[in-house]
Amino acid sequence: MELDEFKAFYQAHFELVPDKSGPDLEEMLQTRSHTAIERILRNLLLEVGTALVFMLVLAFVMITWSSTVFRWVGGSLVILGIIQMVTFIRQYLQLRNQLNWSLGSVKQYLVGMEAIISRFVLLYYRYCMRSIPVGMVIGGILGAYVGVTGDTSDPAFSALPEHPGVGFLITSLVLSVLSVIGTYFMLRWYIQRLYGQYLDELKACITQLE
């Protein structure tokens, strides 16, 4: 539901009775599949499903590919995926339970929803931003190991030249920096696209009710 539609619906149904009960709010929100809250819930489930598929693919590759390095890295990603799935499912259930909230005014109800979603978006943003330097450190360690030992026997390093020159090292460094910068902006866009824009819409609804 767009902001204007929500405002019109509120004025038609709640203006004369500002303390409408939770069940009425739940019915109103659940029958509008395009509300900001419903879209956030949908995206939460979408990310849980994507994480599950990602973990299954990783598990298959780790079983079939004889790369020790990839198995260590893939195992770490699977653990992170499990943590993400548990976190997102808990967030989804918390929001669903909030739909059954039955006390207070419409504004109080929306403020409560906004607080839950804001906290989740902030934590998710911090999680993603901290993942970037962690990935850099892991990549740097692997690169330093290959550079110092010259050991490219692991299949994960099979594409690397046996004796990388200065040009290869500079190119790799430039590509790494560009990848980090690109990942940073992509994650910001991604979070805003899936959650931030709907959170902003919810905040605008609260402002309109003041």
Side-chain angles (χ1 to χ4, degrees):
M1 183 190 301
E2 301 297 334
L3 177 59
D4 292 340
E5 296 176 14
F6 180 90
K7 184 178 179 181
F9 185 89
Y10 171 79
Q11 290 174 340
H13 292 78
F14 296 104
E15 193 173 47
L16 298 179
V17 188
D19 290 332
K20 203 71 173 177
S21 64
D24 294 320
L25 287 174
E26 181 181 0
E27 181 181 358
M28 181 269 291
L29 291 172
Q30 290 181 344
T31 55
R32 296 297 192 273
S33 60
H34 298 295
T35 62
I37 295 172
E38 289 294 339
R39 290 175 182 178
I40 289 174
L41 291 173
R42 177 200 62 191
N43 290 338
L44 282 169
L45 288 182
L46 178 63
E47 290 215 77
V48 170
T50 302
L52 179 59
V53 172
F54 180 70
M55 287 191 297
L56 292 176
V57 172
L58 274 179
F60 175 78
V61 176
M62 285 189 293
I63 292 173
T64 57
W65 193 25
S66 59
S67 171
T68 303
V69 171
F70 184 82
R71 285 173 179 170
W72 278 101
V73 175
S76 300
L77 292 176
V78 168
I79 293 174
L80 290 176
I82 294 173
I83 295 174
Q84 178 181 344
M85 286 182 60
V86 172
T87 302
F88 278 44
I89 290 174
R90 289 182 60 186
Q91 185 66 45
Y92 177 86
L93 294 176
Q94 186 177 13
L95 287 173
R96 273 297 175 194
N97 290 334
Q98 184 70 8
L99 290 177
N100 298 321
W101 189 66
S102 59
L103 298 175
S105 64
V106 174
K107 180 181 176 182
Q108 289 174 326
Y109 173 83
L110 293 178
V111 167
M113 295 295 287
E114 185 270 335
I116 295 174
I117 298 171
S118 293
R119 185 165 57 251
F120 163 73
V121 171
L122 179 60
L123 291 175
Y124 191 28
Y125 179 80
R126 288 176 177 175
Y127 164 77
C128 290
M129 293 302 106
R130 289 169 182 172
S131 298
I132 296 177
V134 171
M136 290 177 59
V137 170
I138 294 176
I141 292 174
L142 293 176
Y145 170 80
V146 175
V148 172
T149 64
D151 182 11
T152 58
S153 58
D154 191 284
F157 302 136
S158 60
L160 296 176
E162 293 185 4
H163 303 288
V166 176
F168 176 81
L169 295 176
I170 293 176
T171 301
S172 299
L173 181 61
V174 171
L175 290 177
S176 299
V177 172
L178 291 177
S179 297
V180 169
I181 296 174
T183 301
Y184 169 77
F185 286 104
M186 183 196 71
L187 288 174
R188 288 192 60 178
W189 172 84
Y190 177 78
I191 296 174
Q192 177 64 23
R193 178 73 176 177
L194 262 65
Y195 304 107
Q197 63 174 331
Y198 303 125
L199 177 61
D200 292 340
E201 184 178 341
L202 190 58
K203 290 179 179 179
C205 290
I206 296 173
T207 301
Q208 292 295 319
L209 295 178
E210 293 180 349

